[in-house]
Amino acid sequence: MTDFSTINKSSSQSFNAQKRLIKDLLAGKTIPCSHCGKPLAASLPAAGETHLLGHIRCPKGCTDIELEVE
């Protein structure tokens, strides 16, 4: 039998870290990219543009998080 507790714990920690990063960035804090140190920027679609996705990226492209916006 496979023990998934380690995988689940790691996945949960990663999810919570990204959730904190997104929350802090959207609250106006400057968050550096964990790879290059450049500040991350959020790009959100305008109201009513539900077909577009939001993004969090660094200028060099080493961090690229796609957001589902409702």
Side-chain angles (χ1 to χ4, degrees):
M1 177 149 248
T2 305
D3 180 18
F4 288 103
S5 62
T6 304
I7 295 169
N8 289 339
K9 184 177 180 180
S10 174
S11 178
S12 176
Q13 288 173 340
S14 175
F15 174 79
N16 288 325
Q18 272 198 354
K19 194 165 96 173
R20 275 192 308 277
L21 179 142
I22 292 166
K23 183 179 176 182
D24 289 347
L25 185 65
L26 295 180
K29 293 183 181 178
T30 301
I31 308 294
C33 172
S34 61
H35 298 284
C36 68
K38 303 280 186 189
L40 298 176
S43 171
L44 301 174
E49 292 184 338
T50 56
H51 63 283
L52 297 177
L53 296 173
H55 291 275
I56 293 179
R57 295 181 175 135
C58 78
K60 293 179 94 178
C62 38
T63 296
D64 188 2
I65 301 171
E66 194 172 85
L67 305 172
E68 292 181 19
V69 182
E70 292 181 3

